[in-house]
Amino acid sequence: MAKYTQQIWRNNRFITWRPNAWDFVALLLLVLILTLLAWGSAEMSAPYKLGQALPISLSVQHLPMYALRSVLRLFIAMIFSLLVTFIFGTLAAKNKHAERVIIPLIDILQSVPVLGFLSITVAGFIALFPGSLLGPECAAIFVIFTAQVWNMILGFYQSLKTLPKDLRSAADMLQLSSWQRFWQVEVPFAMPSLIWNSMLSMSASWFFVVASEAISVNNQTILLPGIGSYIAVAIEHADKMAIFYAILAMLIVILLYDQLFFRPLIYWGERFKYDLTDEHKQASSWLVNLLNRTRLLTLIADIWGRYFHVLVSFRIGQPRRIDQQPVTISRRWQLAALSFWYLVVFGICALAAITLLHFIFHQVSVREALHVLLLGIYTALRVIVLIIISSLVWVPVGVWIGLHPKIRRYAQPIVQILAAFPANLIFPVIVFFIVRFHLNVEIWVTPLMLLGAQWYILFNVIAGAASIPKNLHYATKNFGVKQWLWWRRFILPGIFPFYITGAITAAGGAWNASIVAEVVSWGHTTLIAHGLGAYIAEYTTKGDFPRIALGIVVMCVYVLVFNRLLWQPLYNIAQKRYNIS
């Protein structure tokens, strides 16, 4: 009898409570990860006074500690990004009045440079945690958060807007509440795209890791221990070996968190693919295989899974029955509520605009503002060229990767590494070629912007191609659809919503990357291209806040014009193609 008290029935088989050797291996790995995270968290709250120097050593033995600190900031920002995505992505997708505010607001915020967020928030975070390093750490995490969250919100919003009608009908027939519908229908459908967008956001945030960790605002420099600060110091000293060590450390770190975090997530996310065939779970993970062989940890995971199932199955809100008539509210009250809502929003925007314009033009002349608008045109031309090149190159590549699960499994870590590669590490090569061959700086800084934006298109196209059901593939083969007809009638419509999301975020990322790309430094050599990014970078270093605000406002205006005139109509076409109601 004692033998059976140590067993539990699960998935049509008995699982023993007694741990095995795999449990000890998994527990050892878990304890090691938790210990490193606890040590890194304790270091983030060390005592610190403003103006105190935080020396960054270029010795290779300090790189593991710097890498741990950087990764910890990235994952903390990712947790907050996920929470904000669930809240605002859902609100924008389900409420058209909130959508009219949230989506333009995201357009504005994703065009605000990370240096703009840094210059605005760093003083507040330092004042919030006086005498502690936690203030600068929170500022760095907030900057990384702003580099991650907008892409995730737009991707999740796009998934909810393109939710198939048969899934909505199934939720109605099962009389699911709004809470159950969200966790059991909407989040599972959005999960494959959300996982790929999370990987993209994690990789894209590496692009700005130097700006987030090497804080230089108002002639005050704070170097937080991390790979970004290590790279900044290496560039300042023109230390090629230190740059090589930083690249090697980044490669190792990306491969580690890919194997320990994203690869198991992809394996787990395969079960949520909206596919009517049995071809699923193509991904594999050695960590998942290790955990599946454990006994005690499998049992603990099963218990926690039951609690989570109870949580997501809890009926919050009333179900919407098929035959139920919608609750009608007086037309007069509807108009009054909407008028009040838009009046409040318009009043806040008008007050903010008046205050901001007064702050800017108190020190800046109209002539200089017109010159900044001209600089914005230079950067806009670079962004347009970048989007065209990225689309021509990465849409076919993304489709090829997305349609082949085996290739996708091997390409995923490679794409993550390429997307995470900071443009700062290319500075020596760019400076050498521009100086050596007397190249035009205005043209040859564009590849640096390309590095920061092209991956949004690639990741979203991969996610879109991977989400196309297999039965549609079989249908096109049976009807003999090939070549250009195959692209025009099958692939392009299938990936179109994903491509638009990627193009929107790529455009925002390109504007943001212009701050890093239009001012290229290596040692004592600095090359500056004419553009809005160089203008913002220059006055951010000087701490000239009215001109920083002017540059950010002009950048936001350009992004809003592009989105309203180009991307929003294309997004509406994507929604109509999917018969979104």
Side-chain angles (χ1 to χ4, degrees):
M1 190 68 178
K3 175 182 178 181
Y4 293 102
T5 58
Q6 297 178 352
Q7 295 179 334
I8 185 172
W9 183 257
R10 179 179 179 267
N11 294 337
N12 299 322
R13 64 189 180 97
F14 279 108
I15 297 179
T16 181
W17 290 61
R18 254 183 288 177
N20 56 13
W22 298 107
D23 279 293
F24 289 108
V25 175
L27 282 172
L28 182 63
L29 180 62
L30 181 62
V31 169
L32 176 62
I33 294 175
L34 292 178
T35 302
L36 291 174
L37 293 178
W39 178 84
S41 301
E43 290 293 315
M44 293 176 66
S45 58
Y48 172 76
K49 291 183 179 180
L50 188 62
Q52 176 184 345
L54 294 173
I56 301 297
S57 173
L58 294 181
S59 176
V60 68
Q61 64 184 8
H62 292 91
L63 260 179
M65 184 268 288
Y66 294 159
L68 174 64
R69 298 283 293 274
S70 294
V71 170
L72 192 57
R73 296 182 189 107
L74 291 171
F75 274 98
I76 292 174
M78 178 59 64
I79 292 172
F80 284 104
S81 298
L82 192 60
L83 293 175
V84 172
T85 294
F86 281 154
I87 295 172
F88 289 96
T90 305
L91 189 60
K94 295 189 175 184
N95 189 306
K96 63 179 181 180
H97 303 295
E99 178 184 17
R100 291 170 183 168
V101 176
I102 293 175
I103 298 304
L105 185 62
I106 291 176
D107 291 341
I108 294 173
L109 292 176
Q110 75 169 342
S111 64
V112 175
V114 293
L115 291 180
F117 284 114
L118 194 60
S119 60
I120 295 170
T121 60
V122 63
F125 281 116
I126 291 175
L128 189 62
F129 300 98
S132 174
L133 191 61
L134 203 56
E137 289 282 359
C138 287
I141 291 171
F142 180 75
V143 170
I144 295 172
F145 163 82
T146 61
Q148 294 177 348
V149 68
W150 318 126
N151 169 66
M152 294 175 62
I153 292 177
L154 288 177
F156 190 68
Y157 161 81
Q158 175 257 321
S159 296
L160 296 188
K161 294 290 283 186
T162 57
L163 185 72
K165 286 187 176 180
D166 54 350
L167 292 183
R168 298 184 183 186
S169 301
D172 292 337
M173 287 188 293
L174 294 173
Q175 297 187 16
L176 299 181
S177 67
S178 55
W179 176 263
Q180 293 170 327
R181 182 190 298 260
F182 178 74
W183 288 109
Q184 298 182 21
V185 177
E186 294 166 350
V187 171
F189 175 76
M191 190 57 66
S193 173
L194 183 60
I195 291 174
W196 277 93
N197 276 297
S198 299
M199 288 192 296
L200 170 59
S201 294
M202 179 69 80
S203 297
S205 55
W206 279 103
F207 188 86
F208 299 104
V209 74
V210 175
S212 63
E213 293 179 352
I215 303 172
S216 179
V217 178
N218 198 18
N219 297 318
Q220 172 69 42
T221 301
I222 303 174
L223 294 177
L224 295 174
I227 292 184
S229 298
Y230 186 92
I231 292 172
V233 174
I235 290 174
E236 182 181 355
H237 291 84
D239 192 328
K240 297 179 182 178
M241 285 305 299
I243 292 292
F244 171 76
Y245 291 140
I247 294 173
L248 183 61
M250 283 187 57
L251 294 179
I252 295 173
V253 166
I254 293 170
L255 288 175
L256 279 176
Y257 71 61
D258 171 70
Q259 294 296 315
L260 295 176
F261 185 71
F262 283 119
R263 189 58 64 92
L265 267 183
I266 291 176
Y267 176 87
W268 174 72
E270 290 285 344
R271 68 183 66 185
F272 301 117
K273 288 181 63 176
Y274 183 65
D275 202 334
L276 301 179
T277 68
D278 292 328
E279 296 184 16
H280 62 283
K281 294 187 178 180
Q282 297 285 347
S284 62
S285 169
W286 63 267
L287 183 60
V288 173
N289 295 334
L290 169 63
L291 295 176
N292 285 335
R293 293 177 181 179
T294 61
R295 294 175 180 173
L296 181 61
L297 290 182
T298 300
L299 181 61
I300 294 173
D302 181 72
I303 295 172
W304 280 103
R306 293 175 186 272
Y307 281 118
F308 182 75
H309 179 72
V310 171
L311 177 64
V312 300
S313 300
F314 194 74
R315 187 173 291 276
I316 301 176
Q318 295 297 322
R320 184 166 64 90
R321 290 163 45 186
I322 300 176
D323 58 346
Q324 182 179 4
Q325 295 296 327
V327 179
T328 58
I329 303 176
S330 171
R331 181 66 176 171
R332 181 180 299 176
W333 284 107
Q334 288 183 2
L335 292 175
L338 288 177
S339 300
F340 177 75
W341 163 252
Y342 286 116
L343 184 63
V344 170
V345 172
F346 177 78
I348 293 174
C349 293
L351 181 62
I354 293 172
T355 305
L356 186 59
L357 291 175
H358 180 267
F359 175 74
I360 292 173
F361 289 104
H362 183 68
Q363 296 187 21
V364 180
S365 64
V366 176
R367 183 176 181 179
E368 182 176 353
L370 294 176
H371 175 67
V372 175
L373 284 173
L374 179 62
L375 294 177
I377 293 177
Y378 296 151
T379 303
L381 292 175
R382 295 189 182 103
V383 172
I384 293 172
V385 172
L386 182 150
I387 296 298
I388 294 174
I389 294 175
S390 299
S391 301
L392 293 176
V393 173
W394 294 116
V395 167
V397 174
V399 169
W400 178 64
I401 295 174
L403 294 181
H404 298 85
K406 292 183 179 179
I407 296 174
R408 189 164 67 243
R409 185 164 63 249
Y410 292 108
Q412 173 219 328
I414 298 175
V415 174
Q416 277 185 263
I417 292 171
L418 293 175
F421 201 83
N424 312 69
L425 301 182
I426 309 295
F427 285 0
V429 179
I430 295 295
V431 172
F432 172 78
F433 275 97
I434 291 177
V435 174
R436 176 67 176 80
F437 297 102
H438 306 287
L439 302 177
N440 191 335
V441 180
E442 309 295 337
I443 296 175
W444 290 98
V445 296
T446 305
L448 297 177
M449 294 172 60
L450 193 69
L451 286 175
Q454 60 187 347
W455 312 114
Y456 292 100
I457 293 177
L458 177 60
F459 270 79
N460 278 279
V461 170
I462 291 175
S467 66
I468 299 176
K470 288 292 182 182
N471 58 343
L472 295 182
H473 288 271
Y474 299 147
T476 56
K477 288 183 180 179
N478 291 336
F479 285 105
V481 179
K482 297 180 181 179
Q483 298 178 356
W484 173 239
L485 184 63
W486 182 78
W487 279 93
R488 187 166 60 91
R489 292 293 187 183
F490 176 51
I491 290 298
L492 293 181
I495 67 170
F496 192 62
F498 296 86
Y499 167 77
I500 295 301
T501 301
I504 292 173
T505 49
W511 282 98
N512 223 320
S514 66
I515 299 173
V516 179
E518 291 179 351
V519 181
V520 185
S521 299
W522 176 248
H524 298 292
T525 304
T526 300
L527 303 176
I528 301 176
H530 289 87
L532 192 56
Y535 179 88
I536 295 174
E538 175 187 356
Y539 287 106
T540 300
T541 304
K542 295 179 179 179
D544 191 332
F545 289 101
R547 286 174 173 81
I548 295 173
L550 174 62
I552 293 173
V553 167
V554 171
M555 187 172 286
C556 292
V557 168
Y558 274 104
V559 172
L560 278 176
V561 169
F562 270 96
N563 287 353
R564 295 302 102 186
L565 297 181
L566 177 62
W567 300 123
Q568 190 60 49
L570 290 176
Y571 211 100
N572 294 336
I573 293 174
Q575 292 180 12
K576 291 178 181 178
R577 184 176 294 277
Y578 275 76
N579 296 318
I580 301 304
S581 58

